[in-house]
């Protein structure tokens, strides 16, 4: 596993620390989150039925537009826009957006690297398509972080709070009603990570 700048798991029960460290590593790998996470700290307090997680993210990129992944060319005589794919990992997202805007009947894909859009206004639609957002890695990352945190949480900890802002993520879970100070403690963990505090 690619190394994290900081990876701390704290618990009063020492055997629990290694157990949860392994769970966290396995879930980071299965959700392919390792490249996105720089620092992580998890605190388990069995006496309070409390699980806290703070994460500082690495730069995960910006929104991807069609022109970032393909060449777009208007074909006025044919009444279509030709999209020549350069980065195939975004094809499913691109097709989804095209089907939503134009309908499946107006989209054809003669080969893996080419998509054709039938339209009455090829020049206008080509200009729109060049700037159309195809994927937002940060949105997908948010979903994956929440999934990761839920998977890492002890069984039965169904009362949850999370905050995702900028490159920071906090998650708190318990079997009991969450106390405001627990969320504040997780925020303090985040500040500690932000300052690069390694143990």
């Amino acid at each position: 596993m690619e190394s994290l700048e900081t990876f701390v798991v704290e618990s009063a029960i020492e055997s629990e620390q290694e157990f949860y460290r392994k769970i966290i590593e396995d879930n980071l790998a299965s959700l392919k989150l390792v490249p996105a996470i720089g620092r992580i700290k998890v605190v388990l307090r069995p006496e309070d039925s409390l699980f806290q997680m703070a994460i500082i993210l690495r730069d995960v990129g910006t929104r991807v537009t069609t022109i970032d992944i393909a060449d777009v060319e208007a074909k006025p005589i044919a009444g279509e826009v030709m999209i020549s794919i350069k980065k195939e990992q975004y094809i499913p997202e691109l097709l989804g957006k095209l089907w939503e805007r134009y309908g499946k009947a107006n989209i054809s894909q003669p080969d893996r690297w080419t998509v054709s859009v039938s339209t009455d206004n090829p020049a206008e639609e080509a200009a729109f398509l060049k700037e159309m957002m195809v994927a937002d890695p940060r949105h997908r990352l948010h979903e994956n972080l929440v999934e990761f945190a839920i998977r890492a949480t002890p069984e039965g900890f169904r009362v949850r709070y999370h905050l995702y802002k900028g490159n920071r993520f906090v998650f708190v879970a318990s079997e009991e009603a969450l106390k405001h100070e627990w969320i504040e403690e997780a925020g303090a963990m985040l500040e500690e990570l932000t300052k690069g505090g390694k143990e």
Side-chain angles (χ1 to χ4, degrees):
M1 185 167 103
E2 183 181 329
S3 66
L4 304 173
E5 296 169 44
T6 305
F7 184 12
V8 178
V9 178
E10 292 179 0
S11 175
I13 304 167
E14 200 167 319
S15 62
E16 207 172 60
Q17 284 179 204
E18 278 311 306
F19 176 74
Y20 276 98
R21 187 177 184 90
K22 179 76 174 116
I23 286 174
I24 289 164
E25 287 174 349
D26 290 349
N27 282 298
L28 282 174
S30 74
L31 290 167
K32 297 177 177 64
L33 283 170
V34 175
I37 294 179
R39 303 174 188 158
I40 183 169
K41 182 173 182 178
V42 173
V43 174
L44 294 139
R45 288 214 310 257
E47 68 275 15
D48 292 328
S49 297
L50 177 63
F51 176 89
Q52 298 165 306
M53 176 186 288
I55 294 174
I56 302 293
L57 300 165
R58 295 180 171 128
D59 183 26
V60 293
T62 56
R63 295 159 55 135
V64 177
T65 60
T66 308
I67 204 69
D68 295 327
I69 63 162
D71 293 321
V72 178
E73 184 183 357
K75 303 273 190 179
I77 294 170
E80 64 185 14
V81 177
M82 291 301 291
I83 302 171
S84 302
I85 308 292
K86 296 185 287 191
K87 295 182 182 174
E88 69 177 317
Q89 73 262 36
Y90 295 104
I91 290 175
E93 289 96 332
L94 175 63
L95 288 173
K97 297 273 185 179
L98 294 174
W99 292 335
E100 187 179 306
R101 181 172 173 88
Y102 302 101
K104 284 189 179 186
N106 293 312
I107 307 299
S108 66
Q109 190 177 11
D111 62 62
R112 194 165 121 189
W113 302 100
T114 310
V115 177
S116 169
V117 179
S118 296
T119 175
D120 295 333
N121 303 308
E124 191 178 299
E125 291 303 319
F128 169 81
L129 285 171
K130 286 178 183 179
E131 301 304 318
M132 181 179 77
M133 187 186 71
V134 174
D136 185 349
R138 295 199 70 85
H139 177 71
R140 185 182 295 161
L141 179 61
H142 182 198
E143 292 171 354
N144 286 345
L145 283 169
V146 172
E147 174 70 15
F148 161 66
I150 290 169
R151 287 185 188 187
T153 303
E155 193 72 33
F157 283 42
R158 304 217 186 285
V159 183
R160 303 175 187 133
Y161 164 88
H162 84 273
L163 175 67
Y164 174 54
K165 190 170 184 183
N167 70 334
R168 300 152 65 104
F169 179 80
V170 170
F171 185 86
V172 181
S174 179
E175 291 178 314
E176 313 296 330
L178 293 177
K179 296 180 181 175
H180 186 68
E181 62 257 31
W182 292 347
I183 295 168
E184 288 178 347
E185 287 169 12
M189 287 167 44
L190 195 59
E191 290 307 314
E192 177 188 321
L193 288 178
T194 301
K195 293 172 185 158
K198 293 185 182 182
E199 295 214 339

